[in-house]
Amino acid sequence: MNTKFRPLHDRIVVKRLDQDQKSSGGIIIPDTAKEKPIQGEVLAVGKGAVNEEGKLRPMEVKTGDKVLFAKYAGTEVKLDGEELLIMRESDVMGIIE
Amino acid sequence: MNTKFRPLHDRIVVKRLDQDQKSSGGIIIPDTAKEKPIQGEVLAVGKGAVNEEGKLRPMEVKTGDKVLFAKYAGTEVKLDGEELLIMRESDVMGIIE
Amino acid sequence: MNTKFRPLHDRIVVKRLDQDQKSSGGIIIPDTAKEKPIQGEVLAVGKGAVNEEGKLRPMEVKTGDKVLFAKYAGTEVKLDGEELLIMRESDVMGIIE
Amino acid sequence: MNTKFRPLHDRIVVKRLDQDQKSSGGIIIPDTAKEKPIQGEVLAVGKGAVNEEGKLRPMEVKTGDKVLFAKYAGTEVKLDGEELLIMRESDVMGIIE
Amino acid sequence: MNTKFRPLHDRIVVKRLDQDQKSSGGIIIPDTAKEKPIQGEVLAVGKGAVNEEGKLRPMEVKTGDKVLFAKYAGTEVKLDGEELLIMRESDVMGIIE
Amino acid sequence: MNTKFRPLHDRIVVKRLDQDQKSSGGIIIPDTAKEKPIQGEVLAVGKGAVNEEGKLRPMEVKTGDKVLFAKYAGTEVKLDGEELLIMRESDVMGIIE
Amino acid sequence: MNTKFRPLHDRIVVKRLDQDQKSSGGIIIPDTAKEKPIQGEVLAVGKGAVNEEGKLRPMEVKTGDKVLFAKYAGTEVKLDGEELLIMRESDVMGIIE
C-alpha cells in the first residue's frame, strides 16, 4: 500500500494473510477449510472513535499486528492494486502474538 | 457547485471521482470492477453533530479531502446540474492522503 | 399558512418548492426527474427536542430557510388548504444559502 | 368525559375533532380526503415521563390544546361512551393556535 | 389472591374487571365490543425499576388503582385459582379515578 | 445440584417446581393447563450485572426464593443429572412469599 | 494452544470439554443428548471492554475456569490445529467450581 490512506475513527486497514479463496483458479477448497478464521496484518489504524463527550477512545490494535477476524468482517477495497479490507476494531477477535 | 449549500450536523457533500457507472452508455462494466470502492472529493462539511448535552462534536473530514466510502453510502442530490452525494461522516471509511 | 401552527419539539413545517408531482394532471414526469432531491421553504420551527436531563437542544434550521430533504421525509399535512410537510430537523440534509 | 381519567407518564387523552370516518354510514369518503391529518382536542395530560435519574420531564401539551397528529397514532378507548384516543406526547406533531 | 406474590421491579399484578371474553360460554361478543379497552384493579405493585446507577425509580401506580391497559398487555398467570395479569407499569395507559 | 455452579452477572439457576410436562409419559396435559405460569425455586444467584461505570447492581432475587417466570424464559441445562434453568433476573416476574 | 493469542476487549478463548459431536464418526447422538449445555475451559481472556468514558470493565472469567455456555455461542477458530471457540464473556452462563 503505497498510497497513504488514513482510516477514519475506529477503522483499520487489513491485508489478508490467508490465500485468497475467491481468486484461486480451479482448485476446490473443501467446506471445512473455508470455515477457518481469517488472519491478516494490520496496515493502517484510525485514531479511534470519539465518544458522546468528544473524548477519543484510543485503539488497542496497532500497525503490524497479526489479527484474527470473522470471515465476512469488513469491506473489501482496492488500494494501489492490492485487495485490502477496511473493518472496525470491534470486528477483530484478537491478536496473534 | 456554485450554489452555497450548508450540510446539517454531521453531513458532508461529496463529488464522485470515479466515472459514473450508471450514466455510461453501452459499455458493460464487469461485475468485479463494480465492486471497487468509491472515491470522492469533499465539497462541503457540516458543523458536526450535537450531542445530548448540546455540545458539538467537530468533524474529522474537511473540504478538499479525497475520501473512500461504501458504494451505496449517502443520498444522491443534484446541485447546479452536478450529481453529488450527501452522506454522514460515519459513512466515510477513510481519507486518501 | 394563515393558521398559526406550532410544531412540537424538533419538528419543522416545510412548504415544497418543487412542483408537486402528484397533483400534476396528465403530464408524465420521467423517472430520473422524480429522483431529484426535494427543496422546500421552512415555514415554522419547533423549540427543539428536550434531552434526558430536561435541557433544550436548540434548532439549527430557522423559518425562511430553503432546505433540501429526502423525497419521502416527513408527513404530509394540509393547513388552510395548503399542502405542507411536517418533518424532524434530522430529516433535513442541508440549507441552500 | 365525566369519568376522571389520569393518563400515566407522557400520555395524553385526545378527542378527535374530525368527523369519524369509520362511523359514517353509507357515505364514501374519497381516498385523498382520508389522507388529511387528524385534529383533536386534548382532554387530559399525564405528569410527564420520568427520566433515568428519576427527574420528571414536564409536558409541552396542555388540556384544551388543539393538536395535529398522525392518522394511526394512539390507542382508541371508550370512556363514558365517548370514543377517545390515548397517545404519547411524542405522537403529537404540533399545536394549532 | 391469598398467596402473597411480590412482583419484581416495575411489574404489577392486575385483576381484570371486564367480563372475561374467553371464558364466556356460548355468547358471542360483537367485534366492536371486543375492541374496548381493558380495565383492571391493581392487586400488587413492585418496588420499581432500578436504573443504571442503582437508584430506584418509584412506581406511580399503587394497589387498589383501577387502571386502563391495552388488550394484549401483560402475561396471564393463575394464582390461587384466580386468572390475573402481570404487566409492567409502562403498559398501563392511565388511572380511572 | 451438588456441583457448585456460579452464575455470571445477573443470571440465576432455577429448578422447576411444576411437574415436567415434557417427561410425563402417556398423560396428555390439556391445553389450558399448559398455559399456566411456571414456578421454580432459585438454586444459585449471580453477583449482579455491572453497569457502564463498573458498579455492581445487586440482585433482588436470592437463593431459596420461589419465583414465577414466563414459560419460555431461560436456557435448559443439566447439572448433576438435574434439569435446571439458567435465566436472567429480568425474566423473573415475581416472588411467591 | 501454543500460539500466543490475545483476545480483544471482552472476548475469551474456550476449548470445548464435551466430546465434539460433529467429528464423531458413525455414532448417532440422540436428540435429547445434543440439547445439553456445552462445557469448556477458558484458555485466554481479553482485558475487558472499554466503556464510553474510556474506563476498562474488568473480566469476571479467568484463564482455567470451567464454564458453561449456550450451544451456538461464539465463533469457531482453529489455532495450532486445535478447534477452539472465541466468544464474549456475556455468552458465558456461569462457572463450574
Side-chain angles (χ1 to χ4, degrees):
Chain A
M1 194 174 72
N2 294 316
T3 305
K4 203 157 157 31
F5 179 78
R6 177 157 59 89
L8 266 203
H9 307 134
D10 57 343
R11 288 186 183 83
I12 61 174
V13 180
V14 175
K15 181 183 176 169
R16 282 177 211 267
L17 296 179
D18 285 339
Q19 60 190 109
D20 189 348
Q21 296 162 9
K22 271 181 284 186
S23 63
S24 62
I27 303 159
I28 307 299
I29 298 159
D31 271 9
T32 49
K34 280 197 291 195
E35 299 299 330
K36 78 181 165 190
I38 304 296
Q39 293 178 24
E41 190 194 332
V42 179
L43 298 191
V45 175
K47 281 191 286 188
V50 174
N51 73 3
E52 282 290 309
E53 273 72 39
K55 280 202 296 187
L56 200 72
R57 289 203 289 169
M59 302 289 276
E60 200 168 334
V61 163
K62 60 185 188 306
T63 301
D65 278 352
K66 197 171 152 189
V67 292
L68 207 71
F69 50 90
K71 198 179 169 71
Y72 299 109
T75 306
E76 295 196 5
V77 300
K78 203 171 201 165
L79 287 170
D80 296 330
E82 252 187 316
E83 293 269 1
L84 302 172
L85 280 167
I86 298 177
M87 64 182 73
R88 295 177 182 274
E89 192 191 62
S90 58
D91 292 324
V92 174
M93 288 191 289
I95 299 167
I96 301 160
E97 292 181 326
Chain B
M1 195 174 70
N2 294 315
T3 305
K4 202 156 158 33
F5 178 78
R6 176 157 60 88
L8 266 202
H9 307 134
D10 57 343
R11 288 186 183 85
I12 61 173
V13 180
V14 175
K15 181 183 177 170
R16 282 178 211 268
L17 295 178
D18 286 338
Q19 59 190 110
D20 187 348
Q21 296 161 9
K22 271 180 286 186
S23 64
S24 62
I27 302 158
I28 308 298
I29 298 158
D31 271 9
T32 48
K34 280 197 291 196
E35 299 300 330
K36 77 182 166 190
I38 304 295
Q39 293 179 24
E41 190 193 334
V42 179
L43 298 191
V45 174
K47 281 191 286 188
V50 175
N51 74 2
E52 281 291 310
E53 274 71 40
K55 280 202 297 186
L56 199 72
R57 288 203 289 170
M59 303 288 277
E60 199 168 335
V61 163
K62 60 185 187 305
T63 302
D65 278 352
K66 199 171 152 188
V67 293
L68 208 72
F69 50 91
K71 197 179 169 71
Y72 300 108
T75 306
E76 295 196 6
V77 300
K78 202 170 201 165
L79 288 171
D80 297 329
E82 253 187 317
E83 293 269 2
L84 302 172
L85 280 167
I86 298 177
M87 64 182 72
R88 295 177 182 275
E89 193 190 62
S90 58
D91 292 324
V92 173
M93 288 192 290
I95 299 167
I96 301 160
E97 293 180 325
Chain C
M1 195 174 71
N2 294 314
T3 305
K4 202 155 158 33
F5 179 79
R6 177 157 60 89
L8 267 202
H9 306 134
D10 58 343
R11 287 186 184 85
I12 62 173
V13 179
V14 175
K15 181 183 177 169
R16 282 178 211 268
L17 295 179
D18 286 338
Q19 57 189 113
D20 188 348
Q21 295 161 9
K22 271 181 284 187
S23 64
S24 62
I27 303 158
I28 306 300
I29 298 159
D31 271 10
T32 49
K34 279 197 292 196
E35 298 301 330
K36 78 182 164 189
I38 304 295
Q39 294 179 23
E41 190 193 332
V42 179
L43 297 192
V45 174
K47 281 192 284 188
V50 175
N51 75 3
E52 281 291 308
E53 273 73 37
K55 279 201 298 185
L56 199 72
R57 289 204 289 170
M59 303 287 278
E60 198 168 336
V61 163
K62 59 186 188 304
T63 302
D65 277 352
K66 199 171 150 188
V67 293
L68 208 71
F69 50 91
K71 197 180 170 69
Y72 299 108
T75 306
E76 294 197 7
V77 299
K78 202 171 201 165
L79 288 171
D80 297 329
E82 253 187 318
E83 293 269 1
L84 302 172
L85 281 167
I86 298 178
M87 64 182 72
R88 294 178 181 274
E89 193 190 62
S90 58
D91 292 324
V92 173
M93 288 191 289
I95 299 168
I96 302 161
E97 293 180 325
Chain D
M1 194 173 73
N2 294 315
T3 305
K4 202 154 159 35
F5 179 79
R6 178 157 59 89
L8 268 202
H9 305 133
D10 58 342
R11 287 186 184 85
I12 61 173
V13 179
V14 175
K15 182 184 177 168
R16 281 178 212 267
L17 295 179
D18 286 338
Q19 59 192 111
D20 188 347
Q21 295 162 10
K22 271 180 284 186
S23 64
S24 62
I27 304 159
I28 307 301
I29 297 160
D31 271 10
T32 49
K34 280 198 291 196
E35 298 301 330
K36 77 183 164 189
I38 304 295
Q39 294 179 23
E41 191 194 331
V42 178
L43 297 191
V45 175
K47 281 192 285 188
V50 175
N51 73 4
E52 281 291 308
E53 273 73 37
K55 280 202 298 186
L56 199 72
R57 289 204 288 169
M59 303 287 277
E60 199 169 336
V61 163
K62 60 184 188 306
T63 302
D65 277 352
K66 199 172 152 187
V67 293
L68 208 71
F69 50 90
K71 197 180 171 69
Y72 300 107
T75 306
E76 294 197 6
V77 300
K78 202 170 200 166
L79 288 171
D80 297 329
E82 254 188 316
E83 293 270 1
L84 301 173
L85 281 166
I86 298 177
M87 64 182 72
R88 295 178 181 275
E89 193 190 63
S90 59
D91 291 325
V92 173
M93 289 191 289
I95 299 168
I96 301 161
E97 293 180 326
Chain E
M1 194 172 75
N2 294 315
T3 305
K4 202 155 157 34
F5 179 78
R6 178 157 58 90
L8 267 202
H9 306 133
D10 58 343
R11 286 186 183 85
I12 61 174
V13 179
V14 175
K15 181 185 176 168
R16 280 178 213 267
L17 295 179
D18 286 339
Q19 60 192 109
D20 189 348
Q21 295 161 10
K22 271 181 285 187
S23 64
S24 62
I27 304 159
I28 307 301
I29 297 159
D31 271 11
T32 48
K34 280 197 290 195
E35 298 301 329
K36 77 183 165 188
I38 304 295
Q39 294 179 23
E41 191 194 331
V42 179
L43 297 191
V45 175
K47 280 193 286 187
V50 174
N51 73 3
E52 282 291 309
E53 274 73 37
K55 279 201 298 186
L56 199 73
R57 288 203 290 167
M59 302 288 276
E60 199 169 335
V61 163
K62 59 185 189 305
T63 302
D65 278 352
K66 199 172 152 189
V67 293
L68 208 71
F69 49 90
K71 197 179 171 70
Y72 300 108
T75 306
E76 295 197 6
V77 300
K78 202 170 200 167
L79 287 171
D80 297 328
E82 254 188 315
E83 293 269 1
L84 301 172
L85 281 167
I86 297 177
M87 64 182 73
R88 294 178 181 275
E89 192 191 62
S90 58
D91 291 325
V92 174
M93 289 191 288
I95 299 167
I96 300 162
E97 292 180 328
Chain F
M1 193 173 75
N2 294 314
T3 305
K4 202 155 157 33
F5 179 77
R6 177 157 58 89
L8 267 202
H9 307 133
D10 57 343
R11 287 186 184 85
I12 62 174
V13 179
V14 175
K15 180 184 177 170
R16 281 178 213 265
L17 295 179
D18 286 339
Q19 60 192 109
D20 189 347
Q21 295 160 10
K22 272 181 286 189
S23 64
S24 62
I27 303 158
I28 307 300
I29 297 159
D31 270 10
T32 49
K34 280 198 291 195
E35 298 301 329
K36 77 182 165 187
I38 304 296
Q39 293 179 23
E41 192 194 330
V42 178
L43 297 190
V45 175
K47 281 192 286 187
V50 175
N51 73 3
E52 282 291 308
E53 273 74 37
K55 279 201 299 187
L56 199 74
R57 288 202 291 168
M59 302 288 275
E60 198 170 335
V61 163
K62 59 185 189 305
T63 302
D65 278 351
K66 197 172 152 189
V67 292
L68 208 71
F69 50 90
K71 197 178 171 71
Y72 299 108
T75 306
E76 295 196 5
V77 301
K78 202 170 199 166
L79 288 171
D80 297 329
E82 253 187 316
E83 293 269 2
L84 302 172
L85 281 167
I86 298 178
M87 63 182 75
R88 294 178 181 274
E89 192 190 61
S90 58
D91 291 324
V92 174
M93 289 192 288
I95 299 167
I96 301 162
E97 293 180 326
Chain G
M1 193 173 74
N2 295 315
T3 305
K4 202 155 156 35
F5 179 78
R6 177 158 58 89
L8 266 203
H9 307 133
D10 57 343
R11 288 186 184 84
I12 61 174
V13 180
V14 175
K15 180 184 177 169
R16 283 177 212 267
L17 295 180
D18 286 339
Q19 60 191 110
D20 189 348
Q21 296 160 10
K22 272 181 286 188
S23 64
S24 62
I27 303 158
I28 307 299
I29 297 159
D31 270 10
T32 49
K34 280 197 290 195
E35 299 300 330
K36 78 182 165 189
I38 304 296
Q39 294 179 23
E41 191 194 331
V42 179
L43 298 191
V45 175
K47 281 191 287 186
V50 174
N51 73 4
E52 282 291 309
E53 274 73 38
K55 280 201 298 187
L56 200 72
R57 289 202 290 168
M59 302 288 276
E60 199 169 336
V61 163
K62 59 185 189 305
T63 301
D65 278 351
K66 197 171 152 189
V67 292
L68 207 71
F69 49 91
K71 198 178 169 72
Y72 299 109
T75 306
E76 295 196 5
V77 300
K78 203 169 199 166
L79 288 169
D80 296 329
E82 252 187 317
E83 293 268 1
L84 302 172
L85 280 167
I86 298 177
M87 63 183 75
R88 295 178 181 274
E89 192 191 61
S90 59
D91 291 324
V92 174
M93 289 191 288
I95 299 166
I96 301 161
E97 293 180 325

